[in-house]
Amino acid sequence: MRVLFAASEAFPWMKTGGLGDVAGYLPRALQRAGARVTLALPGYADLLARLTVDLHTVTHVPCLQGYALLKEATGPDGVRLWIVDHPLFGERGGNPYVGPDGHPWPDNDLRFGLFNQVLARVVADALAPDAHFDLAHCHDWQTGLLPVYLDVEGHHLPSVFTIHNLSYQGLFPRETLTRLQLPAHYWSPEGLEFHGHFSFIKGGLVYADKLTTVSPTYAREIQTEAFGYGLAGLLRHRSADLVGILNGIDTEQWNPATDPHLPCHYDADHLDAKADCKAALQRRYGWTPDDGFLLGTVGRMVHQKGTDLLLDALPELMELPVRLVLVGSGEAALEDRALAAESEWPGRVGCYIGYDEDLAHLLEAGADAFLMPSRFEPCGLNQMYSQVYGTPPIVSHTGGLADTVVGANDATLRDGTATGFFLPSLDAAGLVTAVQAALALYQQPDAWRRLQRNGMARDFSWDRSAKEYLALYRGLG
Ligand code: ADP
Ligand code: GLC
């Protein structure tokens, strides 16, 4: 099975969120399961600087703007890397999608359009050695046009499109159609048009042979108006081709017994050492370590993640014997509110604004419980990390959170399946109630230990997901 796996970011070379984790690890798991995977990425200057493997130029490809270079290397687990190098991906600060001011790059249509066009041309005209594939697997709007450009090239390669987040759609003005040299017939509500806009994500949703998303619950939710971001009708129309396959986590990077980011190690049989991580985490925030209930959260500070709900809940949470540490960045107004909370409750609320891989690992290990009050969550990775780190998650009942956490109640505590807590309602009051329930269990050390161990025993490995993707690929025919 030869797979062209196209994505706009992949760990460890470029990551802004969970998509980077998936594109970093799933190709490797597929390769271990017997597929031959080529991972194609845009050649951002920062990514090229971080690549430690030898890269060589395979071919020049004429494209929307001059020529792109296709470069190749062998990555971890034998995954072949294809890098599309073009001046549009040159040094410019910010991240792959937005500038330093937080606004999307104005030429994103051209940048990601060109990335897809180049890949389609290489495949259609076999411009590189071993450019024959059994399928293309695309991810999110940035690669939504790959099935479209394959169509333009007249090359029918079966394709799979994975939705990691339906709220990011890659919408541009109508002129994008001509800017990307796409024939006029794609401009229709059955094609790439979305309420007068040009939609990248519709390229995947309409033209890919199979659609997947990253949890079974999210696959159902996006077919409803509440979660469909205007695309629920299209997704219902394609429901026979749509499945949810849960993400995994990398069990080497995320293992408290070996994690190189941690000052101390522990496992389910030696949980006492987790206290050392907790003390280290509190010291990182400049606090004197104590044994109180320590809540933590890591992630993008945006509406999706319910950061505002958490901040709204703070006055009531601070009535309880708890401390809270946050790591994240995102909307300026939420960052400001988090910093203001740190000043209002010094020594009780600690805030790090920014991206810090080390601190994210230390927080997963050092916190007692992990907060994730997301409004929607296609899969979510942190709640899985926190379970295997013995840090029970407190989460909303949606998407991948509903599929990966088993909420504590009398029955699940008795039968030994409970791993975390669900908010009874998606608001500040629901969050406070869930934290109270967690705190009450934390005050019963034996019961808490059992909860921790239940989570630590869960298998969230990528190998399980890879098997499901391979079965899907085989069905493409
Ligand atoms: P999303 O992709 O919606 O942001 P996920 O839970 O799927 O959410 O994945 C987020 C990933 O990014 C996780 O690996 C998480 O640890 C990481 N992450 C998010 N924000 C930060 C941050 N500020 N510092 C370090 N890692 C972060
Ligand atoms: C998206 C989603 C997140 C998911 C990640 C990887 O960013 O918001 O829930 O885990 O993609 O699939």
Side-chain angles (χ1 to χ4, degrees):
M1 192 70 72
R2 295 159 302 179
V3 185
L4 175 62
F5 194 106
S8 56
E9 57 178 272
F11 184 83
W13 309 290
M14 179 57 72
K15 166 175 155 181
T16 70
L19 171 62
D21 289 289
V22 176
Y25 293 115
L26 177 56
R28 299 174 55 174
L30 289 166
Q31 184 91 10
R32 287 195 300 271
R36 276 163 54 201
V37 185
T38 299
L39 169 61
L41 298 164
Y44 314 109
D46 290 349
L47 176 144
L48 293 174
R50 275 185 219 124
L51 264 183
T52 48
V53 284
D54 272 343
L55 208 57
H56 64 276
T57 300
V58 181
T59 183
H60 294 64
V61 188
C63 61
L64 292 169
Q65 259 189 19
Y67 283 82
L69 300 184
L70 182 75
K71 297 183 171 176
E72 183 175 317
T74 304
D77 287 320
V79 170
R80 177 168 70 168
L81 297 179
W82 270 3
I83 306 293
V84 174
D85 194 7
H86 186 279
L88 283 175
F89 301 120
E91 180 54 55
R92 47 163 85 183
N95 78 22
Y97 320 120
V98 301
D101 59 0
H103 293 296
W105 296 114
D107 55 354
N108 273 346
D109 55 349
L110 203 53
R111 296 166 74 234
F112 293 108
L114 178 146
F115 175 59
N116 291 300
Q117 186 201 35
V118 168
L119 294 177
R121 291 198 162 164
V122 171
V123 173
D125 299 336
L127 297 178
D130 297 321
H132 298 288
F133 296 96
D134 296 304
L135 71 131
H137 188 166
C138 328
H139 301 266
D140 274 359
W141 71 263
Q142 295 87 348
T143 53
L145 293 187
L146 183 53
V148 176
Y149 277 112
L150 285 166
D151 191 41
V152 170
E153 297 291 325
H155 186 80
H156 188 71
L157 182 66
S159 54
V160 177
F161 181 77
T162 297
I163 302 160
H164 294 268
N165 193 329
L166 196 63
S167 74
Y168 300 110
Q169 304 188 348
L171 296 181
F172 296 90
R174 181 183 180 146
E175 295 74 59
T176 290
L177 187 81
T178 30
R179 221 153 110 90
L180 299 188
Q181 295 171 8
L182 289 168
H185 69 83
Y186 287 109
W187 186 261
S188 82
E190 291 74 39
L192 299 176
E193 182 191 350
F194 183 69
H195 301 294
H197 285 83
F198 178 97
S199 164
F200 267 63
I201 201 169
K202 281 191 75 186
L205 301 183
V206 174
Y207 296 95
D209 297 282
K210 292 277 179 201
L211 306 178
T212 77
T213 186
V214 287
S215 68
T217 295
Y218 193 60
R220 287 191 296 277
E221 287 173 340
I222 55 179
Q223 298 180 51
T224 67
E225 302 309 317
F227 290 87
Y229 282 87
L231 293 162
L234 171 56
L235 289 163
R236 282 196 299 273
H237 174 69
R238 296 225 49 196
S239 63
D241 296 318
L242 168 65
V243 291
I245 299 179
L246 271 177
N247 287 333
I249 62 173
D250 185 75
T251 46
E252 275 175 31
Q253 277 286 322
W254 291 96
N255 178 351
T258 54
D259 187 337
H261 300 278
L262 299 184
C264 47
H265 293 108
Y266 59 92
D267 59 30
D269 298 325
H270 305 90
L271 266 167
D272 287 344
K274 191 177 189 298
D276 299 335
C277 292
K278 178 171 174 177
L281 176 62
Q282 295 181 85
R283 279 195 295 273
R284 254 310 267 279
Y285 281 85
W287 298 347
T288 307
D290 71 13
D291 297 336
F293 195 42
L294 180 61
L295 301 166
T297 186
V298 180
R300 293 182 294 118
M301 292 180 165
V302 294
H303 185 76
Q304 173 193 349
K305 302 290 176 184
T307 316
D308 54 324
L309 298 182
L310 173 55
L311 294 166
D312 290 347
L314 272 181
E316 275 197 70
L317 285 181
M318 289 297 114
E319 301 281 314
L320 305 172
V322 302
R323 282 174 152 182
L324 168 67
V325 285
L326 300 105
V327 184
S329 62
E331 289 166 19
L334 294 171
E335 292 181 357
D336 290 347
R337 279 186 70 192
L339 288 168
E342 183 179 48
S343 313
E344 189 170 349
W345 291 285
R348 305 272 318 276
V349 175
C351 190
Y352 174 84
I353 302 291
Y355 192 93
D356 187 327
E357 194 80 26
D358 255 334
L359 184 54
H361 283 249
L362 181 61
L363 190 146
E364 288 287 4
D368 291 307
F370 191 93
L371 296 175
M372 219 163 154
S374 307
R375 288 198 166 80
F376 67 95
E377 197 60 75
C379 180
L381 300 172
N382 280 303
Q383 82 283 6
M384 295 195 268
Y385 300 150
S386 68
Q387 286 174 75
V388 300
Y389 276 58
T391 307
I394 300 173
V395 302
S396 40
H397 196 274
T398 188
L401 301 176
D403 292 341
T404 57
V405 176
V406 180
N409 56 42
D410 288 345
T412 57
L413 285 169
R414 213 177 312 112
D415 69 17
T417 54
T419 64
F421 303 86
F422 286 116
L423 274 58
S425 57
L426 186 55
D427 48 24
L431 181 59
V432 174
T433 305
V435 170
Q436 281 168 330
L439 178 60
L441 207 67
Y442 179 74
Q443 287 162 344
Q444 305 168 45
D446 290 341
W448 188 259
R449 277 277 134 110
R450 280 199 295 280
L451 185 73
Q452 289 178 294
R453 291 199 172 110
N454 293 344
M456 295 178 88
R458 297 290 298 274
D459 172 13
F460 293 121
S461 71
W462 271 114
D463 297 329
R464 181 190 40 79
S465 318
K467 276 196 200 110
E468 290 187 50
Y469 280 108
L470 279 177
L472 177 85
Y473 295 166
R474 286 196 197 97
L476 277 171

